[in-house]
């Protein structure tokens, strides 16, 4: 992240238009600190920051670390849609702070975008970013990033059903029929399995279980690549992804 003026940094971090960011600074609503250094009041939007990547912002009392690109994880709860324009349920984006929703993106919709979608009643690990290449790499079937789902079913999952899931089942979509299979299936209890997939088609897990004569009662995504949903991240909470966590995604 190259050096630039403080007002421009606020703009890139999603604190509003350039005019709004200048107003925040001139109005005394912004404090800055380099690394773990002391906070200092600023009133000059043209203040040159040589190392934005180590800058911490305090904007109207909100502490915010600077990131050239946003990479975050969210523990999606039930009852929210992974859409900017939800049809029946609240949007998952309402769980994020305004700067993440307002980050400027060249040639695209502002703010971070969900990498793949989870149904409104599905919970678990959801990644969001404003990095188009990162989003494409994790969502493209060509890159085959595995995803692990915890599936709780209405009826016991038989050995025959597990074999069918691994060998491949046919999903019917209007006039098209498509063969899909699980990469791995691990059975924990008669009605709880972990299902690993590298693609994410519409209602895929639910349709796959229906194809073997069962019904999904609860669905939770626990892992993407080598990244597991942290046990201390409660439903509805989010956090920045660290370098080690990003490395787990391949």
């Amino acid at each position: 992240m190259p050096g630039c003026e403080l007002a421009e940094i606020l703009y890139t971090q999603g604190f509003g238009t350039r005019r709004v960011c200048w107003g925040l600074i001139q109005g005394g609503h912004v404090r800055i600190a380099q690394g773990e250094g002391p906070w200092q009041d600023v009133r000059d939007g043209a203040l040159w920051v040589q190392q934005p990547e180590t800058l911490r912002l305090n904007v109207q009392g909100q502490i915010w670390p600077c990131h050239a690109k946003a990479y975050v994880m969210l523990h999606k709860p039930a009852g929210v849609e992974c859409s900017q324009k939800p049809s029946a349920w609240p949007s998952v984006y309402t769980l994020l702070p305004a700067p993440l929703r307002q980050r400027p993106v060249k040639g695209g919709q502002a703010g971070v975008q969900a990498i793949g979608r989870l149904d409104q009643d599905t919970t678990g690990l959801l990644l969001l970013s404003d990095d188009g290449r990162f989003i494409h790499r994790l969502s493209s079937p060509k890159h085959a990033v595995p995803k692990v789902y915890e599936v709780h079913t209405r009826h016991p999952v038989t050995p025959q059903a597990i074999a069918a899931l691994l060998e491949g089942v046919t999903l019917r979509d209007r006039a098209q029929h498509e063969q899909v299979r699980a990469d791995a299936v691990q059975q924990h209890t008669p009605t709880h399995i972990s299902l690993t997939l590298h693609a994410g088609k519409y209602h895929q897990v639910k349709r796959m279980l229906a194809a073997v004569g069962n019904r999904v009662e609860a669905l939770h995504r626990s892992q993407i690549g080598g990244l597991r949903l942290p046990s201390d991240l409660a439903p509805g909470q989010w956090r920045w992804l660290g370098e080690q966590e990003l490395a787990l995604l391949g």
Side-chain angles (χ1 to χ4, degrees), residues 46-121:
L47 176 70
W48 187 262
V49 180
Q50 190 65 39
Q51 295 180 304
E53 66 276 6
T54 64
L55 188 69
R56 288 185 297 144
L57 300 168
N58 183 327
V59 183
Q60 294 179 310
Q62 183 177 12
I63 307 298
W64 197 261
C66 286
H67 292 277
K69 293 290 184 180
Y71 306 97
V72 302
M73 70 168 84
L74 182 144
H75 186 163
K76 180 192 172 296
V80 293
E81 294 183 29
C82 295
S83 172
Q84 298 277 14
K85 298 179 179 179
S87 58
W89 301 82
S91 170
V92 71
Y93 294 94
T94 61
L95 302 174
L96 299 173
L100 284 178
R101 302 195 307 268
Q102 298 171 173
R103 287 175 70 96
V105 178
K106 291 183 179 179
Q109 188 171 7
V112 295
Q113 306 299 315
I115 304 175
R117 294 188 175 189
L118 296 176
D119 298 337
Q120 64 83 16
D121 58 346

Side-chain angles (χ1 to χ4, degrees), residues 182-202:
D183 297 319
V185 178
Q186 181 180 4
Q187 188 157 28
H188 304 284
T189 71
T191 57
H192 174 203
I193 61 172
S194 293
L195 189 71
T196 302
L197 303 172
H198 69 269
K201 302 182 184 300
Y202 180 70

Side-chain angles (χ1 to χ4, degrees), residues 73 75 125 220 222 228-235 237 239 245:
M73 70 168 84
H75 186 163
L125 180 59
H220 176 85
S222 58
R228 292 192 63 85
L229 180 67
S231 59
D232 62 347
L233 191 66
Q237 291 185 339
R239 71 170 59 156
E245 292 169 323

Side-chain angles (χ1 to χ4, degrees), residues 32-40 54 56:
I32 63 172
Q34 283 287 357
E36 296 302 318
W39 291 101
Q40 61 182 99
T54 64
R56 288 185 297 144

